[in-house]
Amino acid sequence: MVLHLPSDALDILRELNAAGYAAYAVGGCVRDALMGREPKDVDICTSATPEEMKRVFAASHVVETGLKHGTLTVVRRHVPYEVTTFRLDGGYTDHRHPDSVRFVSDVREDLARRDFTVNAMAWNPEEGLVDAFGGQADLAAGLLRCVGDPVTRFTEDALRVMRALRFAAVYGFRIEDKTAEAARKMAPGILEVAAERVRVELAKLLCGPHAGDILRAYADIITLLIPELKPCLGFDQRNPHHRYDVWEHTVRAVENAPATETLRLTMLLHDAGKPETFTVDEDGVGHFYGHAKRSGEIAERVAERFRLDNATRDRVLLLVRHHDDFLHSEPKQMLRELNRVGEEAVRQLIEVRRADALATGTVDPAEVSAVCGALLRALEDTLASQACFSLKQLAVSGRDLIAAGMRPGPALGDTLEALLQAVMDGRVENDREKLLEMAKQRIADTARA
Ligand code: ATP
Ligand code: MG
């Protein structure tokens, strides 16, 4: 069997062979290549020890990142290839990190420590596929199955539970029954795993083409990580604008959003505040006044829990808090919106609006498309008009005002902001002289007051 791998990866295999060591491409790249997908990166495993690898690649550009764990990174044409000595993991007393690693000489032992059968295959041009656990058959059947006893494997490392959901969401695999049962049982272990690692798997899960199916089928595991979402399950909205309960609406909103971590996380959390803000009016219709604000508070807690970086956290919070604001396509309103949140966030708010509306199950998708299309066109027109909506675009800067005799300080910032508002309202042109004039006037007025 021939797998299509980059020629640099094949060279690395050959160089190890030439020095007398066994070497294989392994893991994700073999899985992806067998599925006819372009592998993201090629990992290589070998019988050579770290010291032996260093000798083989003495003339190559290498990075000694994980030598203790047996990994040497070989860089070819700016692409890093992780080359790792065949190894066994020792015990897992903390359910997270192997207590030790032991180097071994047989690739089959190395494959046995890997998480799922589809990830436990190795390949090289001479031997072809090494598939000790039926990975190829599972791949053909679209089944995700643990290597070995699932309860043991999830107990060793509970991140594997998240990885199972992630691979299922990305590739559309069905999780084999025993593996699924063990995943549910051992899921509480995820709470012990470093939040940063869980976040990476959650983001990949949410961005998978089959994320919706996984959110539905494994809502118990998702709400273990984010208990704030639990009240959404089955929550009847009693509102004619909504066909689905809050959770089903949420899942559909995730599915309808572009596959970025920020947007998918936003949709996952956008209505989390609904159950707590639910009221029923005299006609028996349900309302959720203030739910966006409440969802924002929940999102803040979740962002903290998963240790999101500040940029992602701030954007998710902004989008959740404003997901229900009315967006206008009139140029003046669009300018206000651009001023308030910036171009990228306006684009995202339009996507949030689209995903949210489509997920109600009560509006015509063609209509949603028309409304969002109009918003996007208004945005493009406003941007193309070069209309001013930020201090950056203003024809005077703080430096100009200081040069004109103003003192630095908070009042200076207020003046610039007032000038920007005046330009946006059309009260003054975005012209240096006119703005300086207005600034002087304003300072004189403030001094008199
Ligand atoms: P991706 O395409 O997202 O990189 P991948 O399968 O390559 O997917 P990695 O996280 O890069 O995933 O890991 C590489 C390989 O290492 C996996 O295919 C698997 O064989 C093994 N592996 C990774 N994480 C674990 C784990 N927590 N437990 C057991 N084996 C693991
Ligand atoms: Mg990988």
Side-chain angles (χ1 to χ4, degrees):
M1 171 183 305
V2 177
L3 285 195
H4 293 283
L5 296 178
S7 61
D8 289 326
L10 298 175
D11 286 345
I12 293 173
L13 295 179
R14 252 194 303 273
E15 289 160 35
L16 284 160
N17 287 162
Y21 304 107
Y24 303 83
V26 68
C29 67
V30 177
R31 176 198 67 221
D32 288 348
L34 285 173
M35 293 175 85
R37 295 178 176 234
E38 179 93 23
K40 277 199 295 290
D41 40 37
V42 177
D43 294 328
I44 288 163
C45 61
T46 178
S47 61
T49 64
E51 287 311 313
E52 290 167 337
M53 287 195 274
K54 272 167 70 178
R55 255 176 270 139
V56 174
F57 298 109
S60 301
H61 175 192
V62 298
V63 189
E64 298 186 14
T65 34
L67 223 50
K68 272 204 309 288
H69 302 102
T71 302
L72 182 71
T73 301
V74 178
V75 184
R76 293 280 158 93
R77 284 187 279 183
H78 307 290
V79 179
Y81 295 88
E82 282 195 0
V83 187
T84 305
T85 309
F86 298 151
R87 57 172 232 228
L88 281 177
D89 294 334
Y92 282 78
T93 38
D94 66 353
H95 311 303
R96 290 185 274 178
H97 304 102
D99 300 329
S100 60
V101 300
R102 187 156 67 78
F103 298 136
V104 294
S105 57
D106 184 359
V107 66
R108 281 167 184 77
E109 288 187 87
D110 181 87
L111 294 176
R113 73 174 167 91
R114 294 174 182 270
D115 47 7
F116 305 108
T117 61
V118 296
N119 288 345
M121 292 181 275
W123 179 89
N124 71 24
E126 281 73 42
E127 285 175 61
L129 196 68
V130 182
D131 175 16
F133 302 98
Q136 206 182 5
D138 283 343
L139 203 56
L143 269 184
L144 194 77
R145 186 197 310 267
C146 280
V147 172
D149 172 55
V151 172
T152 308
R153 303 314 309 282
F154 290 135
T155 307
E156 288 169 353
D157 178 4
L159 185 71
R160 291 172 186 156
V161 174
M162 285 305 289
R163 287 173 60 84
L165 269 46
R166 184 258 276 202
F167 288 117
V170 170
Y171 296 102
F173 296 144
R174 191 171 76 76
I175 304 178
E176 176 274 330
D177 292 344
K178 289 223 163 58
T179 297
E181 193 188 319
R184 291 189 204 278
K185 187 167 154 202
M186 305 320 293
I190 304 169
L191 303 173
E192 316 277 313
V193 176
E196 292 82 353
R197 298 174 73 208
V198 180
R199 174 214 173 163
V200 171
E201 297 299 334
L202 179 66
K204 289 183 176 174
L205 186 172
L206 290 175
C207 290
H210 305 272
D213 299 338
I214 297 306
L215 292 177
R216 287 187 189 90
Y218 295 93
D220 54 335
I221 297 181
I222 301 300
T223 58
L224 189 84
L225 294 179
I226 310 177
E228 293 88 345
L229 287 171
K230 207 162 188 177
C232 298
L233 304 185
F235 196 98
D236 181 358
Q237 310 204 47
R238 295 171 64 178
N239 185 297
H241 299 300
H242 277 282
R243 171 173 303 167
Y244 307 112
D245 67 57
V246 177
W247 179 242
E248 178 59 23
H249 165 72
T250 296
V251 172
R252 285 171 182 256
V254 169
E255 289 177 312
N256 286 319
T260 69
E261 179 185 28
T262 297
L263 285 170
R264 296 246 160 143
L265 205 50
T266 295
M267 298 328 291
L268 183 70
L269 301 171
H270 80 290
D271 275 354
K274 272 191 166 179
E276 283 176 72
T277 53
F278 183 62
T279 55
V280 183
D281 67 19
E282 55 271 29
D283 300 321
V285 176
H287 300 281
F288 303 93
Y289 301 114
H291 80 274
K293 180 165 175 280
R294 184 74 195 109
S295 299
E297 290 160 9
I298 292 171
E300 199 165 357
R301 278 218 301 274
V302 172
E304 178 81 20
R305 190 175 312 144
F306 288 109
R307 302 206 195 294
L308 295 191
D309 58 282
N310 292 345
T312 307
R313 180 202 58 205
D314 291 350
R315 184 54 58 84
V316 168
L317 293 188
L318 178 131
L319 296 174
V320 169
R321 285 183 188 131
H322 294 296
H323 81 266
D324 220 23
D325 294 1
F326 200 74
L327 288 171
H328 300 264
S329 40
E330 299 91 80
K332 259 217 171 109
Q333 299 286 352
M334 193 46 85
L335 216 51
R336 291 256 152 246
E337 203 58 27
L338 282 165
N339 170 247
R340 196 168 63 120
V341 301
E343 178 189 337
E344 191 188 42
V346 172
R347 286 188 194 282
Q348 290 174 320
L349 278 172
I350 296 172
E351 290 309 324
V352 166
R353 163 61 37 91
R354 186 198 307 277
D356 196 4
L358 287 172
T360 60
T362 61
V363 281
D364 179 2
E367 195 182 313
V368 176
S369 223
V371 170
C372 292
L375 284 167
L376 266 179
R377 271 193 306 281
L379 170 65
E380 300 299 355
D381 291 348
T382 307
L383 292 170
S385 76
Q386 308 265 320
C388 172
F389 60 84
S390 67
L391 289 177
K392 249 199 344 254
Q393 298 164 288
L394 203 62
V396 293
S397 66
R399 204 181 298 244
D400 295 329
L401 295 187
I402 291 166
M406 266 195 80
R407 260 185 311 218
L412 184 84
D414 291 348
T415 299
L416 282 170
E417 198 50 56
L419 294 179
L420 174 59
Q421 294 301 323
V423 170
M424 283 170 48
D425 290 344
R427 284 183 278 122
V428 62
E429 269 174 69
N430 190 18
D431 171 272
R432 202 181 125 83
E433 293 310 317
K434 292 192 173 125
L435 288 172
L436 280 174
E437 190 51 45
M438 190 180 226
K440 283 181 191 147
Q441 192 62 49
R442 189 173 185 274
I443 292 158
D445 291 349
T446 333
R448 244 191 321 266

